[in-house]
């Protein structure tokens, strides 16, 4: 201890490096013993995973589907949900007078249809008006048979104060136009976005009449679309079942009507359309997923095959995919038994497990090729475990940490949390099954190889002199290279018959390290960084729910039509004043009008002030007079009586009536970037509510999806990156050389930066699917580059260029095999008609391609002229040997001491 603490810092660092090397060798020894143990019991480790998978996977046949899309995709803890609860307590959802309309989500059950004209005529033409009213009549006559009773829209609709079904105001406008035409008189002028009915009532039709070419206070001359919404009651389970069946028949009625009337084009949508279209991705992905599995199996078998019938390993390629399938089946059974529910985002989990498993299995196979054939199978298996299991275990631990952070209760989006939790389970079993099932099958094929048996037919291969006496077809099937002496050089030459091994060793290693190639690779990397930066600066959030549904669905068609015809105005925003204020005070009136300035307003307050002005009265009345006129005069008029639902009166202790809460409705003028503008508007109004004199809240059902979406979405990725970097930093004291972790961190940062930039250029927004892929990108990069970096950094006695070649010869083939199999399995996803799988394919493909580009091009070039330096280490070893010799000589003779001192 005295020697350690009193020594120089360089000697302390050297001692620390020795301790890390001791720990590294200790772990290698442990995995070597584990390999011996698996090789001693191959039958048990081959059969146990299969039995466990069958037992647990059988429960997956009764899996359940998560039907609540809002529960999955909306942030769990958001201010919008708190505001929504407060709004419901003050003003229960009553769409009778003012529809709280949202193009994303509307509470309760409803059926909605956008009607457009196939020709160029206006939707307000006589013929089109008659067709729309005819469609309305058919919808109201839809019958649902349940428990011996036929339910119609009249039985399930929401009723107004007169016990009549509530319908959209645009229908009354169309009925008035038709009535005026039948009476042979000029119809009233239809204004936009606020118009007036014949009874004098002011109504907002901005979300019911679309494609208006002459907006303003003048008469609408041409409109392209009409939107109708039918709201249903769902107060109990029976009503909900009946309403769900009514929605199905509603869509069928609209489709039949469109077939009979080709001049109209219709886009139906219901409250359950989003849920059905979200789950439809799983159905349309079945065949492509089977194709992906078939392609992966075919390429895995091909890449594990050789001309040599003894050293070929086609069964190991097949069993690698079987191992991952067993792990997926086991984890699916566990998820089902623990009450988990399936949703379409789980489609990404098999590809994460596949990427993780392919790296591990092909690395084990590559390590097997480097073992000596004259060794016993158990010794070869132990050497493979000692060589591969340490980096594979470290990368698996990184999976568990990064996805474990995403699965924690701190994750605010349920779909992300559930996905990360199930990914952790799948990756964990994938690791165990590769360790046991795949390792035991490696032992079985090892016995076949050591006994010179055919690796497919298991028949003993005759020796060359006997094989020459057989027919040509027999010699072709039984071709092998006999190495009876078992020299190491002969072993390596035997495996060079593998196409990828030969390509990597004879051509690629020399080409990539060529002095004339390096400048072009560096230049290409600078171009890569430039494009990645350009995309990174254009990153946009993607909270649009159409990004997670199948493309050929009613949700996409309806959303497209909604954006085309009804993007002029934002969703109706509820402006709720939740405390008693001095409405009669002139300064308070100015404040309220100032807060709502710039919006299209549907407001009892503004209408009441205009009413007072028309009576030639001042708006600054005494409190009692202001309230009495509001209750007994203004709200009694037919054109204003609908505002009574927007005001809450309370009687004070002295008998005086006061307005304790009220609501108004605001609509903002928007452009094509409607969603981005809504983010800014929501943030601005929230800040204003904190600083204003009037205490108010704003709410729309769509705010549940928008509110805190960016922070909720980015939190799992940010936490995973921080945990990954922390783990890399902490493990720098455990690995044999801290430079390994430094290089791994740099490569991970470069890959993640590139993936974010290029997915943006490929028109992928940052939503929950792309964020999960970015978390996976951390781990896939570490899986790919860690073995290569570790081998290079720990190399001794040769130059950097030589060690780059050695490293590529050892690990380049496994990386190439893994990449080709993985990308081939991803290709069928590109053909799936779904936005979810489109995002999944683009993110995973870019992750694999950029990681491959770094590992086989950028990293080998950078390592040839950046630390660690191999030359210094080469010169250091003789010096250490000389120091040891001198110490021995000092003990032997004092005369030698004098000679050393002189030197």
């Amino acid at each position: 201890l005295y020697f350690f603490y009193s020594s120089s810092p360089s000697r302390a660092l050297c001692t620390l490096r020795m301790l890390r090397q001791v720990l590294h060798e200790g772990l290698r020894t442990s995995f070597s013993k584990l390999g011996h143990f698996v090789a001693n019991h191959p039958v048990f480790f081959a059969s146990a995973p299969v039995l466990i998978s069958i037992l647990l996977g059988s429960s997956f046949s009764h899996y359940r589907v998560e039907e609540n899309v809002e529960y999955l995709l909306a942030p769990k803890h958001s201010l919008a949900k708190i505001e929504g609860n407060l709004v419901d307590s003050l003003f229960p959802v009553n769409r009778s007078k003012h529809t709280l309309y949202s193009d994303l989500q509307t509470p309760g059950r409803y059926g909605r249809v956008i009607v457009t004209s196939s020709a160029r005529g206006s939707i307000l033409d006589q013929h089109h008006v008659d067709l729309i009213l005819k469609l309305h009549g058919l919808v109201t006559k839809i019958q649902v048979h349940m428990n011996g009773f036929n339910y119609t829209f009249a039985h399930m609709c929401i009723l107004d104060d007169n016990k009549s079904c509530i319908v959209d105001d645009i229908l009354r406008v169309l009925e008035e136009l038709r009535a005026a035409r039948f009476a042979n008189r000029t119809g009233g002028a239809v204004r936009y976005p606020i118009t007036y009915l014949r009874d004098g009532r002011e109504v907002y039709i901005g979300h019911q009449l679309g494609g208006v070419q002459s907006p303003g206070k003048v008469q609408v001359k041409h409109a392209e679309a009409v939107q109708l919404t039918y709201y249903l009651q769902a107060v109990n389970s029976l009503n909900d079942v009946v309403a769900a069946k009514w929605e199905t028949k509603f869509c069928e009625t609209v489709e039949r009507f469109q077939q009979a009337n080709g001049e109209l084009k219709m886009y139906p949508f219901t409250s359950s359309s989003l849920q059905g279209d979200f789950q439809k991705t799983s159905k349309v992905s079945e065949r492509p997923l089977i194709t992906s599995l078939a392609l992966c199996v075919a390429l895995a078998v091909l890449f594990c095959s050789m001309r040599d019938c003894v050293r070929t390993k086609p069964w190991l390629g097949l069993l690698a995919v079987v191992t991952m399938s067993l792990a997926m089946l086991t984890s699916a059974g566990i998820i089902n038994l623990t009450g988990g529910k399936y949703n379409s985002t789980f489609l990404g989990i098999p590809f994460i497990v596949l990427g993780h498993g392919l790296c591990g299995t092909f690395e084990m196979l590559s390590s097997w090729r480097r073992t000596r054939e004259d060794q016993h199978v158990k010794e070869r298996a132990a050497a493979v475990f000692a060589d591969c299991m340490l980096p594979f275990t470290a990368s698996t631990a990184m999976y568990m940490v990064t996805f474990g952070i995403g699965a924690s209760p701190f994750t605010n989006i349920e779909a992300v949390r559930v996905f990360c939790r199930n990914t952790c389970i799948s990756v964990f079993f994938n690791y165990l099954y590769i360790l046991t099932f795949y390792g035991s099958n490696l032992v079985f094929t090892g016995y076949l190889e050591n006994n010179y048996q055919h690796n497919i037919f298991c028949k003993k291969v005759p020796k060359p002199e006997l094989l020459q006496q057989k027919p040509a077809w027999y010699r072709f099937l039984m071709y092998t290279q006999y190495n009876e002496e078992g020299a190491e050089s002969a072993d390596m030459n035997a495996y060079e018959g593998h196409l990828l091994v030969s390509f990597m060793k004879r051509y690629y290693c020399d080409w990539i390290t060529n002095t004339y190639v390096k400048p072009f690779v560096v230049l290409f990397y600078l171009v890569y960084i430039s494009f990645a930066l350009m995309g990174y600066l254009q990153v946009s959030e993607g909270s649009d729910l159409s990004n997670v549904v199948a493309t050929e669905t009613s949700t996409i068609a309806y959303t497209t039509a909604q954006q085309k015809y009804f993007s002029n105005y934002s969703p109706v925003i509820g402006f709720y004043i939740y405390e008693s204020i001095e409405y009669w005070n002139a300064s308070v009136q100015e404040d309220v009008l100032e807060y709502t300035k710039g919006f299209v307003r549907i407001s009892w307050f503004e209408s009441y002030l205009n009413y007072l002005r028309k009576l030639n009265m001042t708006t600054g009345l005494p409190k009692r007079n202001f309230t009495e006129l509001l209750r007994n005069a203004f709200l009694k008029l037919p054109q204003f009586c609908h505002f009574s639902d927007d005001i809450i009166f309370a009687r004070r202790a002295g008998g005086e009536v006061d307005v304790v809460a009220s609501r108004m409705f605001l609509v903002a003028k928007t452009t094509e970037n409607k969603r981005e503008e809504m983010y800014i508007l929501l943030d601005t109004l929230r800040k204003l509510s904190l600083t204003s004199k009037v205490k108010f809240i704003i709410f729309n059902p769509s705010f549940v999806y928008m509110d805190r979406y960016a922070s909720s979405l980015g939190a799992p990725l940010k936490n995973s990156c921080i945990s990954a970097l922390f783990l890399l930093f902490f493990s720098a004291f455990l690995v044999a050389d801290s430079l390994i972790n430094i290089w791994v961190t740099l490569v991970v940062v470069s890959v993640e930066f590139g993936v974010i930039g290029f997915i943006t250029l490929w028109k992928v927004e940052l939503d929950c699917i792309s964020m999960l892929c970015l978390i996976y990108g951390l781990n896939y990069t570490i899986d790919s580059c860690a073995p290569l970096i570790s081998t290079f950094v720990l190399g001794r006695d040769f130059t950097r260029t030589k060690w780059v070649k050695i490293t590529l010869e050892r690990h380049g083939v496994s990386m190439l095999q893994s990449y080709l199999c993985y990308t081939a399995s991803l290709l069928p996803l590109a053909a799936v008609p779904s936005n979810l799988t489109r995002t999944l394919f683009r993110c995973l493909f870019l992750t694999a391609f950029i990681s491959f580009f770094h590992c086989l091009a950028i990293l080998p070039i950078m390592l040839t002229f950046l630390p660690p330096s191999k030359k210094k280490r080469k010169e250091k070893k003789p010096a250490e040997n000389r120091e040891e010799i001198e110490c021995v000589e000092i003990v032997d003779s004092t005369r030698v001491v004098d000679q050393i001192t002189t030197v």
Side-chain angles (χ1 to χ4, degrees):
L1 288 176
Y2 174 77
F3 170 76
F4 177 78
Y5 287 111
S6 61
S7 61
S8 62
S10 60
R11 186 177 293 275
L13 291 174
C14 181
T15 306
L16 180 61
R17 180 181 298 173
M18 292 174 60
L19 292 176
R20 291 188 303 201
Q21 290 175 350
V22 168
L23 178 61
H24 181 76
E25 290 301 323
L27 292 174
R28 284 176 55 89
T29 303
S30 300
F31 281 112
S32 177
K33 293 181 179 179
L34 179 61
H36 264 291
F37 184 72
V38 172
N40 284 327
H41 308 85
V43 176
F44 171 78
F45 286 111
S47 58
V50 177
L51 294 175
I52 293 173
S53 298
I54 294 174
L55 291 175
L56 293 177
S58 60
S59 65
F60 189 66
S61 58
H62 305 289
Y63 71 93
R64 295 173 296 169
V65 177
E66 180 58 64
E67 298 180 350
N68 193 339
V69 179
E70 179 180 335
Y71 169 75
L72 285 175
L73 302 178
K76 292 188 299 181
H77 309 291
S78 67
L79 185 57
K81 289 189 176 181
I82 299 174
E83 292 170 342
N85 293 332
L86 178 58
V87 167
D88 288 340
S89 65
L90 293 174
F91 300 94
V93 178
N94 182 1
R95 291 169 286 268
S96 58
K97 306 305 184 297
H98 295 294
T99 302
L100 279 176
Y101 175 82
S102 169
D103 57 354
L104 294 180
Q105 179 77 9
T106 304
R109 293 279 186 178
Y110 62 90
R112 183 174 292 149
V113 59
I114 295 177
V115 183
T116 65
S117 174
S118 300
R120 295 185 177 180
S122 173
I123 200 69
L124 297 178
D125 291 344
Q126 174 182 342
H127 179 62
H128 292 142
V129 169
D130 291 339
L131 288 177
I132 293 173
L133 292 177
K134 182 180 178 181
L135 172 65
H136 171 65
L138 292 175
V139 170
T140 55
K141 293 178 183 178
I142 293 175
Q143 294 184 351
V144 176
H145 186 75
M146 189 78 175
N147 296 335
F149 186 80
N150 290 327
Y151 292 88
T152 64
F153 180 69
H155 297 103
M156 296 179 292
C157 66
I158 297 176
L159 303 176
D160 59 14
D161 297 334
N162 298 322
K163 305 300 181 182
S164 299
C165 286
I166 298 160
V167 293
D168 285 342
D169 294 320
I170 190 64
L171 287 169
R172 292 190 172 90
V173 173
L174 298 179
E175 288 173 351
E176 290 180 1
L177 290 176
R178 185 173 65 174
R181 188 178 70 249
F182 286 161
N184 209 8
R185 57 183 170 79
T186 303
V190 180
R191 301 178 183 274
Y192 182 84
I194 295 179
T195 190
Y196 296 90
L197 301 179
R198 289 190 61 190
D199 59 5
R201 187 156 61 91
E202 184 183 65
V203 295
Y204 173 77
I205 58 171
H207 291 138
Q208 300 167 15
L209 188 66
V212 178
Q213 295 182 0
S214 57
K217 295 186 177 180
V218 299
Q219 182 178 358
V220 176
K221 297 180 180 179
H222 186 278
E224 298 179 352
V226 167
Q227 181 166 240
L228 307 177
T229 306
Y230 300 89
Y231 295 100
L232 307 174
Q233 295 185 23
V235 294
N236 53 47
S237 58
L238 176 62
N239 274 4
D240 190 67
V241 172
V242 175
K245 292 185 176 181
W246 188 93
E247 288 179 354
T248 303
K249 290 199 172 185
F250 169 79
C251 294
E252 295 173 354
T253 301
V254 171
E255 290 173 0
R256 287 196 303 267
F257 190 81
Q258 181 174 359
Q259 292 174 0
N261 300 274
E263 62 268 35
L264 293 181
K265 191 164 183 61
M266 304 182 187
Y267 305 92
F269 187 78
T270 66
S271 63
S272 56
S273 294
L274 179 62
Q275 168 201 328
D277 295 342
F278 175 64
Q279 301 299 346
K280 189 176 180 181
T281 298
S282 303
K283 298 179 181 178
V284 299
S285 300
E286 290 177 355
R287 289 185 179 179
L289 286 177
I290 295 174
T291 306
S292 295
L293 182 63
L295 282 175
C296 186
V297 169
L299 286 180
V301 170
L302 178 64
F303 292 147
C304 293
S305 300
M306 293 175 57
R307 176 73 178 86
D308 193 318
C309 70
V310 171
R311 296 170 181 85
T312 185
K313 301 289 189 296
W315 289 117
L316 286 183
L318 174 63
L319 290 171
V321 182
V322 170
T323 302
M324 290 168 256
S325 301
L326 292 175
M328 284 298 306
L329 187 61
T330 304
S331 59
I334 291 176
I335 292 166
N336 190 59
L337 290 175
T338 54
K341 294 182 179 181
Y342 175 84
N343 66 78
S344 292
T345 61
F346 287 6
L347 290 173
I349 297 180
F351 294 95
I352 292 178
V353 173
L354 188 65
H356 173 255
L358 288 174
C359 290
T361 53
F362 281 126
E363 193 64 40
M364 291 177 70
L365 186 57
S366 178
S367 178
W368 179 269
R369 296 192 188 105
R370 297 194 296 270
T371 58
R372 294 175 57 88
E373 288 187 353
D374 59 343
Q375 287 182 300
H376 194 274
V377 172
K378 297 179 182 179
E379 298 297 328
R380 298 180 73 181
V384 169
F385 272 65
D387 188 33
C388 300
M389 283 300 111
L390 182 56
F392 187 58
T393 302
S395 64
T396 304
M398 189 67 74
Y399 274 89
M400 303 302 292
V401 170
T402 53
F403 282 102
I405 293 293
S408 67
F410 300 105
T411 299
N412 203 18
I413 297 181
E414 187 65 18
V416 175
R417 192 184 68 82
V418 172
F419 183 95
C420 291
R421 181 192 66 192
N422 296 339
T423 301
C424 284
I425 297 173
S426 301
V427 169
F428 176 72
F429 278 98
N430 193 44
Y431 171 76
L432 289 183
Y433 285 7
I434 289 175
L435 208 67
T436 55
F437 181 78
Y438 190 78
S440 60
N441 283 285
L442 189 66
V443 172
F444 289 136
T445 57
Y447 280 117
L448 294 178
E449 183 178 336
N450 276 21
N451 295 330
Y452 277 90
Q453 293 176 268
H454 198 288
N455 213 280
I456 299 177
F457 306 116
C458 303
K459 180 177 176 60
K460 182 76 173 180
V461 177
K463 292 189 176 182
E465 54 273 15
L466 298 177
L467 192 62
Q468 293 300 323
Q469 304 172 8
K470 301 293 183 179
W473 64 269
Y474 190 87
R475 292 198 305 271
F476 177 80
L477 290 178
M478 292 294 179
Y479 169 79
T480 188
Q481 180 179 349
Y482 259 87
N483 293 328
E484 297 182 354
E485 297 178 358
E488 184 177 358
S489 59
D491 295 344
M492 296 305 296
N493 291 332
Y495 281 109
E496 283 184 9
H498 194 285
L499 180 62
L500 294 181
V501 174
S502 176
F503 165 76
M504 188 65 63
K505 186 172 183 179
R506 297 180 182 178
Y507 302 103
Y508 186 78
C509 292
D510 292 331
W511 178 80
I512 196 64
T513 55
N514 191 291
T515 306
Y516 300 103
V517 174
K518 293 180 182 180
F520 291 100
V521 175
V522 174
L523 179 62
F524 195 74
Y525 181 71
L526 295 178
V527 174
Y528 157 81
I529 290 294
S530 301
F531 277 94
L533 180 61
M534 182 172 63
Y536 187 83
L537 296 176
Q538 302 175 27
V539 170
S540 61
E541 300 168 14
S543 62
D544 191 353
L545 296 184
S546 61
N547 290 337
V548 295
V549 300
T551 52
E552 299 175 1
T553 55
S554 60
T555 299
I556 296 296
Y558 172 81
T559 304
T560 303
Q562 177 78 23
Q563 181 67 23
K564 180 179 180 180
Y565 299 110
F566 298 94
S567 61
N568 292 334
Y569 293 96
S570 70
V572 176
I573 302 170
F575 184 89
Y576 298 87
I577 301 175
Y578 58 87
E579 67 175 8
S580 179
I581 63 173
E582 298 177 352
Y583 292 95
W584 60 90
N585 190 308
S587 63
V588 174
Q589 293 172 4
E590 292 177 1
D591 289 339
V592 174
L593 293 177
E594 181 66 25
Y595 297 151
T596 58
K597 184 178 179 181
F599 292 91
V600 176
R601 294 169 287 199
I602 306 98
S603 166
W604 72 267
F605 185 66
E606 189 174 6
S607 298
Y608 181 51
L609 295 183
N610 292 333
Y611 168 78
L612 293 177
R613 293 190 186 100
K614 289 181 180 179
L615 295 178
N616 293 325
M617 299 176 63
T618 178
T619 57
L621 295 173
K623 176 181 179 181
R624 186 180 184 86
N625 295 342
F626 186 92
T627 307
E628 288 299 326
L629 277 174
L630 175 63
R631 293 180 61 206
N632 301 323
F634 177 76
L635 295 178
K636 298 297 183 182
L637 298 175
Q639 65 268 32
F640 301 124
C641 64
H642 61 280
F643 286 129
S644 58
D645 287 339
D646 298 339
I647 308 171
I648 298 177
F649 294 98
R651 191 174 296 277
R652 301 299 184 185
E656 189 178 31
V657 177
D658 196 5
V659 178
V660 294
S662 68
R663 66 179 176 182
M664 308 167 197
F665 298 97
L666 312 177
V667 182
K669 185 74 175 175
T670 57
T671 61
E672 293 183 358
N673 295 324
K674 184 176 180 179
R675 191 166 304 280
E676 289 73 14
E677 293 177 0
M678 286 303 299
Y679 290 144
I680 299 173
L681 180 61
L682 176 60
D683 186 58
T684 303
L685 291 176
R686 286 266 177 79
K687 292 178 180 178
L688 179 62
S689 67
L690 298 175
T691 58
S692 65
K693 298 178 183 178
V694 178
K695 301 302 180 184
F696 68 89
I697 59 175
I698 56 171
F699 180 72
N700 179 277
S702 63
F703 291 171
V704 173
Y705 292 91
M706 295 180 182
D707 190 31
R708 293 185 60 190
Y709 187 82
S711 59
S712 300
L713 197 61
L717 176 62
K718 180 181 68 176
N719 295 337
S720 296
C721 291
I722 292 174
S723 60
L725 294 176
F726 175 78
L727 190 60
L728 286 171
F729 173 77
F730 179 74
S731 61
F733 301 98
L734 301 178
V735 296
D737 198 311
S738 57
L739 278 174
I740 297 174
N741 284 9
I742 294 175
W743 272 110
V744 169
T745 303
L746 292 175
V747 173
V748 167
V749 170
S750 179
V751 170
E752 285 291 285
F753 179 74
V755 172
I756 294 174
F758 279 93
I759 63 172
T760 304
L761 295 178
W762 208 352
K763 298 180 180 180
V764 175
E765 297 177 327
L766 291 184
D767 55 10
C768 63
I769 303 300
S770 56
M771 283 294 179
L772 291 170
C773 292
L774 290 175
I775 295 175
Y776 169 63
L778 293 170
N779 302 280
Y780 185 84
T781 307
I782 294 173
D783 264 342
S784 302
C785 71
L788 188 147
I789 294 174
S790 178
T791 300
F792 177 85
V793 172
L794 298 179
R796 298 291 188 274
D797 300 333
F798 298 113
T799 62
R800 291 172 177 167
T801 302
K802 178 63 176 177
W803 267 109
V804 165
K805 293 181 180 180
I806 295 174
T807 301
L808 288 176
E809 290 174 7
R810 290 185 180 181
H811 305 287
V813 174
S814 61
M815 284 190 291
L816 189 58
Q817 290 171 326
S818 174
Y819 169 75
L820 292 176
C821 288
Y822 188 63
T823 51
S825 66
L826 290 176
L827 291 178
L829 277 182
V832 178
S834 172
N835 290 333
L836 188 151
T837 53
R838 181 204 65 180
T839 301
L840 197 65
F841 165 74
R842 293 182 179 182
C843 293
L844 294 180
F845 178 81
L846 284 175
T847 298
F849 178 77
I850 295 176
S851 298
F852 176 76
F853 167 67
H854 277 72
C855 291
L856 290 186
I858 299 301
L859 198 56
I861 296 300
M862 296 297 181
L863 290 175
T864 57
F865 55 83
L866 290 176
S869 174
K870 302 298 177 183
K871 187 176 180 180
K872 293 181 180 178
R873 295 186 177 183
K874 183 180 178 181
E875 295 174 354
K876 187 176 180 181
K877 187 173 181 181
E880 292 175 351
N881 291 338
R882 184 171 63 251
E883 183 180 351
E884 293 175 359
I885 295 171
E886 290 171 357
C887 292
V888 173
E889 290 178 341
I890 288 173
V891 176
D892 291 343
S893 175
T894 56
R895 200 174 80 179
V896 176
V897 174
D898 296 336
Q899 294 177 356
I900 295 174
T901 305
T902 304
V903 174

